Tab-separated table of all heavy atoms in Angstrom:
chain	number	residue	atom	x	y	z
A	436	GLY	N	60.235	36.878	77.098
A	436	GLY	CA	59.943	36.995	75.559
A	436	GLY	C	59.277	38.245	75.248
A	436	GLY	O	58.516	38.325	74.254
A	437	ALA	N	59.486	39.279	75.940
A	437	ALA	CA	58.861	40.596	75.652
A	437	ALA	C	59.827	41.718	75.926
A	437	ALA	O	60.683	41.646	76.795
A	437	ALA	CB	57.554	40.793	76.453
A	438	ASN	N	59.745	42.837	75.204
A	438	ASN	CA	60.515	43.958	75.354
A	438	ASN	C	59.628	45.154	75.471
A	438	ASN	O	59.502	45.978	74.496
A	438	ASN	CB	61.518	44.138	74.142
A	438	ASN	CG	62.460	45.255	74.304
A	438	ASN	OD1	62.544	45.833	75.315
A	438	ASN	ND2	63.243	45.605	73.217
A	439	PRO	N	58.962	45.449	76.634
A	439	PRO	CA	57.930	46.443	76.715
A	439	PRO	C	58.426	47.822	76.383
A	439	PRO	O	57.661	48.654	75.897
A	439	PRO	CB	57.520	46.267	78.216
A	439	PRO	CG	57.917	44.960	78.647
A	439	PRO	CD	59.159	44.641	77.882
A	440	THR	N	59.667	48.182	76.711
A	440	THR	CA	60.164	49.545	76.472
A	440	THR	C	60.061	49.930	74.930
A	440	THR	O	59.878	51.058	74.655
A	440	THR	CB	61.513	49.825	77.001
A	440	THR	OG1	62.410	48.790	76.447
A	440	THR	CG2	61.519	49.738	78.493
A	441	ASP	N	60.241	48.897	74.119
A	441	ASP	CA	60.237	49.084	72.676
A	441	ASP	C	58.818	48.781	72.041
A	441	ASP	O	58.278	49.400	71.240
A	441	ASP	CB	61.217	48.300	71.951
A	441	ASP	CG	62.607	48.932	72.101
A	441	ASP	OD1	62.811	49.731	73.016
A	441	ASP	OD2	63.503	48.623	71.279
A	442	GLY	N	58.244	47.690	72.547
A	442	GLY	CA	56.984	47.175	71.923
A	442	GLY	C	55.730	47.671	72.545
A	442	GLY	O	54.716	47.893	71.849
A	443	HIS	N	55.756	47.985	73.838
A	443	HIS	CA	54.573	48.471	74.587
A	443	HIS	C	55.078	49.626	75.559
A	443	HIS	O	54.920	49.413	76.839
A	443	HIS	CB	53.906	47.294	75.301
A	443	HIS	CG	53.620	46.187	74.412
A	443	HIS	ND1	54.567	45.152	74.105
A	443	HIS	CD2	52.497	45.842	73.708
A	443	HIS	CE1	53.947	44.349	73.319
A	443	HIS	NE2	52.736	44.646	73.024
A	444	PRO	N	55.512	50.655	75.064
A	444	PRO	CA	56.247	51.613	75.873
A	444	PRO	C	55.414	52.333	76.976
A	444	PRO	O	55.926	52.617	78.049
A	444	PRO	CB	56.754	52.655	74.904
A	444	PRO	CG	55.957	52.451	73.646
A	444	PRO	CD	55.638	51.033	73.643
A	445	VAL	N	54.108	52.560	76.784
A	445	VAL	CA	53.280	53.228	77.727
A	445	VAL	C	53.122	52.261	78.985
A	445	VAL	O	53.228	52.712	80.075
A	445	VAL	CB	51.948	53.626	77.155
A	445	VAL	CG1	51.014	54.085	78.268
A	445	VAL	CG2	52.131	54.785	76.144
A	446	PHE	N	52.804	50.991	78.628
A	446	PHE	CA	52.773	49.962	79.746
A	446	PHE	C	54.140	49.937	80.496
A	446	PHE	O	54.200	49.805	81.717
A	446	PHE	CB	52.376	48.665	79.288
A	446	PHE	CG	52.552	47.542	80.302
A	446	PHE	CD1	51.672	47.527	81.448
A	446	PHE	CD2	53.583	46.623	80.224
A	446	PHE	CE1	51.901	46.517	82.379
A	446	PHE	CE2	53.751	45.768	81.186
A	446	PHE	CZ	52.904	45.679	82.317
A	447	ALA	N	55.224	49.899	79.705
A	447	ALA	CA	56.572	49.885	80.235
A	447	ALA	C	56.807	51.032	81.281
A	447	ALA	O	57.455	50.779	82.277
A	447	ALA	CB	57.637	49.923	79.164
A	448	SER	N	56.252	52.213	80.954
A	448	SER	CA	56.510	53.218	81.910
A	448	SER	C	55.778	52.995	83.200
A	448	SER	O	56.271	53.334	84.296
A	448	SER	CB	55.911	54.571	81.260
A	448	SER	OG	56.715	54.988	80.141
A	449	ARG	N	54.589	52.461	83.194
A	449	ARG	CA	53.825	52.089	84.375
A	449	ARG	C	54.635	51.002	85.154
A	449	ARG	O	54.632	51.040	86.412
A	449	ARG	CB	52.407	51.721	84.086
A	449	ARG	CG	51.674	52.819	83.373
A	449	ARG	CD	50.234	52.394	83.113
A	449	ARG	NE	49.449	52.352	84.319
A	449	ARG	CZ	48.194	52.036	84.424
A	449	ARG	NH1	47.482	51.701	83.315
A	449	ARG	NH2	47.566	51.977	85.601
A	450	LEU	N	55.163	50.038	84.400
A	450	LEU	CA	55.862	48.957	85.086
A	450	LEU	C	57.147	49.509	85.689
A	450	LEU	O	57.486	49.158	86.844
A	450	LEU	CB	56.228	47.963	83.980
A	450	LEU	CG	57.117	46.734	84.438
A	450	LEU	CD1	56.548	46.049	85.632
A	450	LEU	CD2	57.284	45.763	83.288
A	451	LYS	N	57.889	50.357	85.047
A	451	LYS	CA	59.115	50.942	85.665
A	451	LYS	C	58.796	51.785	86.823
A	451	LYS	O	59.523	51.737	87.797
A	451	LYS	CB	59.815	51.830	84.598
A	451	LYS	CG	60.509	51.023	83.410
A	451	LYS	CD	61.388	51.806	82.586
A	451	LYS	CE	60.693	52.733	81.730
A	451	LYS	NZ	61.564	53.477	80.783
A	452	LYS	N	57.687	52.385	86.807
A	452	LYS	CA	57.235	53.161	87.988
A	452	LYS	C	57.116	52.250	89.232
A	452	LYS	O	57.553	52.513	90.296
A	452	LYS	CB	55.951	53.939	87.762
A	452	LYS	CG	55.201	54.373	89.000
A	452	LYS	CD	53.697	54.129	88.734
A	452	LYS	CE	53.006	54.049	90.105
A	452	LYS	NZ	51.606	53.680	89.957
A	453	ARG	N	56.464	51.079	88.982
A	453	ARG	CA	56.300	50.053	90.107
A	453	ARG	C	57.638	49.562	90.534
A	453	ARG	O	57.874	49.337	91.729
A	453	ARG	CB	55.365	48.977	89.594
A	453	ARG	CG	55.057	47.946	90.692
A	453	ARG	CD	54.404	48.546	91.837
A	453	ARG	NE	54.179	47.557	92.902
A	453	ARG	CZ	54.035	47.844	94.230
A	453	ARG	NH1	54.052	49.145	94.661
A	453	ARG	NH2	53.865	46.935	95.135
A	454	LEU	N	58.540	49.364	89.587
A	454	LEU	CA	59.897	48.808	89.993
A	454	LEU	C	60.683	49.869	90.828
A	454	LEU	O	61.291	49.552	91.713
A	454	LEU	CB	60.650	48.517	88.715
A	454	LEU	CG	60.075	47.331	87.850
A	454	LEU	CD1	60.854	47.253	86.561
A	454	LEU	CD2	60.071	46.049	88.647
A	455	ARG	N	60.510	51.162	90.514
A	455	ARG	CA	61.100	52.128	91.309
A	455	ARG	C	60.572	52.266	92.701
A	455	ARG	O	61.212	52.687	93.634
A	455	ARG	CB	61.046	53.578	90.641
A	455	ARG	CG	61.738	53.643	89.275
A	455	ARG	CD	61.901	55.102	88.817
A	455	ARG	NE	60.642	55.806	88.678
A	455	ARG	CZ	59.906	55.820	87.610
A	455	ARG	NH1	60.300	55.060	86.526
A	455	ARG	NH2	58.784	56.450	87.522
A	456	GLN	N	59.296	51.813	92.876
A	456	GLN	CA	58.734	51.780	94.186
A	456	GLN	C	59.202	50.533	94.975
A	456	GLN	O	58.861	50.428	96.217
A	456	GLN	CB	57.164	51.784	94.068
A	456	GLN	CG	56.655	52.978	93.504
A	456	GLN	CD	55.140	52.957	93.272
A	456	GLN	OE1	54.567	51.855	93.069
A	456	GLN	NE2	54.462	54.132	93.292
A	457	GLY	N	59.884	49.599	94.359
A	457	GLY	CA	60.453	48.506	95.126
A	457	GLY	C	60.035	47.121	94.688
A	457	GLY	O	60.559	46.143	95.219
A	458	ALA	N	59.230	47.101	93.626
A	458	ALA	CA	58.889	45.629	93.133
A	458	ALA	C	60.178	45.075	92.464
A	458	ALA	O	61.035	45.771	92.021
A	458	ALA	CB	57.794	45.785	92.014
A	459	LYS	N	60.214	43.693	92.472
A	459	LYS	CA	61.367	42.994	91.959
A	459	LYS	C	61.077	42.577	90.519
A	459	LYS	O	59.968	42.418	90.118
A	459	LYS	CB	61.690	41.792	92.805
A	459	LYS	CG	61.845	42.040	94.334
A	459	LYS	CD	62.929	43.084	94.599
A	459	LYS	CE	63.023	43.317	96.090
A	459	LYS	NZ	64.133	44.354	96.368
A	460	LEU	N	62.207	42.280	89.788
A	460	LEU	CA	62.029	41.940	88.388
A	460	LEU	C	62.958	40.841	87.963
A	460	LEU	O	64.089	40.792	88.310
A	460	LEU	CB	62.349	43.299	87.574
A	460	LEU	CG	62.365	43.076	85.987
A	460	LEU	CD1	60.936	42.701	85.517
A	460	LEU	CD2	62.872	44.324	85.356
A	461	ILE	N	62.322	39.891	87.146
A	461	ILE	CA	63.035	38.786	86.489
A	461	ILE	C	62.832	38.961	85.025
A	461	ILE	O	61.683	39.008	84.624
A	461	ILE	CB	62.567	37.441	86.983
A	461	ILE	CG1	62.652	37.254	88.486
A	461	ILE	CG2	63.294	36.352	86.320
A	461	ILE	CD1	61.767	36.158	89.079
A	462	VAL	N	63.829	39.050	84.243
A	462	VAL	CA	63.816	39.147	82.843
A	462	VAL	C	64.312	37.919	82.107
A	462	VAL	O	65.499	37.524	82.412
A	462	VAL	CB	64.517	40.398	82.229
A	462	VAL	CG1	64.369	40.462	80.744
A	462	VAL	CG2	63.815	41.729	82.854
Side-chain angles (χ1 to χ4, degrees):
N438 184 8
T440 52
D441 282 20
H443 306 85
V445 172
F446 169 72
S448 292
R449 300 185 68 180
L450 174 57
K451 288 191 288 185
K452 164 219 157 182
R453 182 58 183 159
L454 297 175
R455 294 195 301 273
Q456 292 175 337
K459 307 302 182 184
L460 176 63
I461 304 163
V462 176

